[in-house]
Amino acid sequence: MSVWDDLVGQERVVGQLDAAARDADAYVTAAASGSALPEASRMTHAWLFTGPPGAGRADAARAFAAALQCTSPDRALPGGTPGCGFCDGCHTSLIGTHADVDVVRTDLLSIGVKETRDLVRRSQLSPANGRWQVIVLEDADRLTEGAGNVLLKAVEEPASRTVWLLCAPSLEDVLPTIRSRSRHLSLRTPPVAAVAGILVRRDGVDPALAASVARSTQGHIDRARRLATDERARERRAAALKLPLRVGDVGAGLRAAQELIDAASEDSKQAATETDEKETEALRAALGGQSGGRMPRGTAGAMKELEEKQKRRRTRSQRDSLDLALVDLTSFYRDVLALQFGSSQEVVANAELRDALERIAEGSTPAATLRRIEAIAACREALDRNVAPLLAVEAMAMALRAG
């Protein structure tokens, strides 16, 4: 086992990261022994991981962070390489407890200036164990413009042992000034068979179920794992895919839109309730309040700030849940389009809905299917612009009906 094992279908990226980790290890070893530092190196201080959803951008960044912190003595042997996956450096980096690896992710709509300044200050510290200070920013696309400008300064003038690992869906989601100072690695969508294989090997999923969810998510590793291990997630997906069959009637289409919104709200509420309660009780205790009792004077502002943060997180969670349903709808009509153009059944993602797919394919034209896919894309864009979710989904439902 090595830190690269979970990066399925990313052989080219793994090769580049492995080579950079070797050079980084040689640099640290030479610096510690007082030897001459290597002149040529494939290592750099800032990396930008891009790729479609589910490609494993964050997994690649965390694996690289672990390889940079690897302390296995075997890495110095002929054929050895950093990133064993077993040593303390690798293990703590992968589970998120390494003192020199900060993994930053957000449940909010954006990452602001204050949080970014804290990261920049952290990046100026020397590594605690003498190797590298690594900061993994999983949601670099959510940096506000001001936060991006704060980060730019740190990327332009990095500390000697600091490495920034930024993750974003595409180059266009990051400021041009930041991406021009970062080494770019583009990940691809993993093959369906490779995703099914890792679900069986790592998660003990039944091979038939693993193959089904890997095909239905078209290689999205995290979504495939969730569908394979969460029956409620499979039920919500099945409910979302019934919408195309209900838009023939206006009333049923509008009810389906409302049900889609309600399901996303319930999903986000279930995910947030436990976290919100723990955060609230922890803050109450820190401020000297009693559970369920009155808070000390002067603490109302802190409690209100936490409530606002939790509200923004719930909004983000609801949008993410709704967006997943819209992605599933897109895959449905993609399958319809494939059948209309005579593609083989092997390319169909939602094979369990073959009868419905064939019925809609025979009853419409490729042009109408493309318009429906565009309507779903327009709904996703409207949600990004903060249009009321119900209005956006109802408009989409009526566009699906019109074809």
Side-chain angles (χ1 to χ4, degrees):
M1 174 184 174
S2 76
V3 296
W4 314 115
D5 286 354
D6 284 345
L7 301 184
V8 294
Q10 310 293 348
E11 291 78 9
R12 180 184 57 82
V13 169
V14 168
Q16 292 177 275
L17 293 176
D18 183 67
R22 290 171 185 262
D23 286 351
D25 188 64
Y27 178 92
V28 171
T29 302
S33 64
S35 304
L37 298 178
E39 294 183 4
S41 176
R42 286 160 290 191
M43 181 61 186
T44 188
H45 67 282
W47 298 75
L48 177 57
F49 297 83
T50 66
R57 300 184 300 261
D59 291 337
R62 287 194 295 268
F64 187 38
L68 292 176
Q69 305 293 7
C70 182
T71 57
S72 170
D74 293 342
R75 72 187 192 280
L77 298 176
T81 181
C84 67
F86 294 103
C87 70
D88 184 66
C90 288
H91 179 68
T92 55
S93 296
L94 291 174
I95 66 174
T97 59
H98 196 290
D100 293 327
V101 178
D102 278 340
V103 179
V104 182
R105 61 178 69 89
T106 183
D107 295 322
L108 304 181
L109 300 176
S110 62
I111 300 175
V113 171
K114 180 179 181 298
E115 301 96 314
T116 308
R117 282 179 176 156
D118 292 339
L119 279 180
V120 171
R121 282 193 289 269
R122 179 80 170 84
S123 73
Q124 301 303 314
L125 301 176
S126 299
N129 67 356
R131 297 190 68 79
W132 298 93
Q133 182 77 252
V134 184
I135 300 178
V136 181
L137 187 55
E138 292 189 0
D139 303 295
D141 53 306
R142 295 189 186 180
L143 288 167
T144 64
E145 184 175 356
N149 290 327
V150 171
L151 178 62
L152 174 62
K153 187 68 174 176
V155 173
E156 283 180 330
E157 301 175 4
S160 60
R161 292 283 188 85
T162 294
V163 182
W164 290 89
L165 307 181
L166 313 177
C167 305
S170 69
L171 287 173
E172 288 69 28
D173 292 310
V174 180
L175 286 177
T177 47
I178 291 179
R179 64 178 186 245
S180 66
R181 291 163 174 79
S182 306
R183 183 167 300 171
H184 177 221
L185 291 178
S186 178
L187 285 75
R188 68 188 183 103
T189 300
V192 170
V195 174
I198 198 171
L199 291 178
V200 173
R201 186 173 70 253
R202 288 295 179 85
D203 300 282
V205 178
D206 177 76
L209 177 59
S212 175
V213 298
R215 183 181 63 250
S216 63
T217 58
Q218 291 293 283
H220 193 303
I221 298 174
D222 292 336
R223 290 198 62 209
R225 180 175 285 115
R226 185 180 183 191
L227 286 177
T229 57
D230 187 347
E231 185 177 355
R232 289 186 305 173
R234 295 196 294 272
E235 292 173 352
R236 285 192 293 270
R237 183 177 188 277
L241 291 176
K242 290 180 181 178
L243 189 145
L245 306 177
R246 301 174 62 183
V247 294
D249 176 78
V250 173
L254 294 178
R255 285 194 297 274
Q258 181 66 66
E259 290 170 8
L260 202 63
I261 298 297
D262 292 343
S265 299
E266 182 63 25
D267 192 24
S268 63
K269 181 180 179 181
Q270 289 178 355
T273 298
E274 184 177 352
T275 301
D276 289 354
E277 290 176 353
K278 287 182 179 179
E279 286 182 343
T280 301
E281 288 305 314
L283 183 59
R284 278 180 173 273
L287 296 176
Q290 298 295 323
S291 179
R294 296 185 62 181
M295 293 295 296
R297 184 172 299 178
T299 61
M303 295 299 296
K304 184 175 178 59
E305 183 179 354
L306 177 61
E307 290 171 1
E308 290 295 325
K309 176 184 175 182
Q310 292 172 343
K311 181 180 178 181
R312 293 195 300 271
R313 185 168 60 204
R314 287 192 294 271
T315 300
R316 177 79 257 176
S317 179
Q318 180 185 7
R319 288 186 184 179
D320 288 345
S321 180
L322 185 55
D323 192 63
L324 286 179
L326 297 179
V327 170
D328 289 333
L329 282 177
T330 302
S331 76
F332 181 95
Y333 285 110
R334 170 203 167 276
D335 288 346
V336 170
L337 191 64
L339 293 178
Q340 288 172 331
F341 281 111
S343 299
S344 65
Q345 291 289 348
E346 285 73 18
V347 304
V348 174
N350 302 285
E352 69 278 7
L353 300 173
R354 183 177 301 176
D355 291 343
L357 293 170
E358 291 178 346
R359 185 163 68 251
I360 293 179
E362 293 171 359
S364 63
T365 64
T369 304
L370 285 172
R371 286 194 293 270
R372 286 170 171 143
I373 292 175
E374 290 171 354
I376 299 172
C379 180
R380 297 179 70 187
E381 292 175 2
L383 293 172
D384 282 340
R385 297 195 302 270
N386 292 323
V387 173
L390 182 58
L391 292 178
V393 176
E394 285 181 341
M396 178 196 70
M398 293 303 97
L400 295 180
R401 180 177 184 274

